[in-house]
Amino acid sequence: MRGRLASTILVPAGLAIAVAATGCSIKATVKQTTDTTSNITGTTSGHAWWNEDGLLNPEHKAIAFVTLNQTNLEQDMAKGEGEYLRSLGTLLGVPAHEHPAYGAAVQTRYALTQETSLDNPAARLSLLQDTAQPYRQKTAALHPDRP
């Protein structure tokens, strides 16, 4: 009984001495932890992707679409048509009347590109943006007053 009482008193006292000897305080430790957590979540949680209204910024819509719809988009790319490819074409600025030609161009490029080069959403989006460029330029040349 006496040994148990002594260890109940000595263990917390020893911990208090160890904390004091290291110069560490609970307040400082908590502040360092919360500051570090804030720095990490502030830079990686996607705050730059969202506007004040909680909507996705326009410049990030295409990569989000490609990331969330990889499987369906890949199937549409292989076919050269489909709702996912049309939707992405619209996001990339391809006019509706150019979607069939854009789909055929994507299908051709997809067939020529090794699948290993399309293993991530950024690579896939890059291929799709490059393929969409001539269709956007053609429309801009025909209608210079349109954005």
Side-chain angles (χ1 to χ4, degrees), residues 19-26 28-29:
V19 169
T22 62
C24 180
S25 70
I26 292 176
T29 303

Side-chain angles (χ1 to χ4, degrees), residues 58-126:
E59 64 269 18
H60 299 294
K61 286 182 180 182
I63 190 66
F65 184 88
V66 170
T67 302
L68 294 172
N69 298 295
Q70 287 183 47
T71 303
N72 294 325
L73 186 57
E74 190 169 341
Q75 291 171 358
D76 284 2
M77 289 170 66
K79 293 186 301 188
E81 63 180 24
E83 70 178 285
Y84 292 93
L85 189 57
R86 277 191 307 276
S87 296
L88 184 62
T90 301
L91 278 174
L92 295 177
V94 175
H97 68 278
E98 294 285 1
H99 283 188
Y102 172 65
V106 167
Q107 183 180 28
T108 300
R109 285 199 67 186
Y110 179 77
L112 295 174
T113 306
Q114 295 180 10
E115 288 192 37
T116 55
S117 66
L118 298 177
D119 61 351
N120 67 59
R124 188 172 288 121
L125 178 59
S126 179

Side-chain angles (χ1 to χ4, degrees), residues 93-98 136-147:
V94 175
H97 68 278
E98 294 285 1
R136 291 191 306 249
Q137 289 175 345
K138 187 189 319 183
T139 300
L142 292 174
H143 306 284
D145 56 329
R146 290 185 188 172

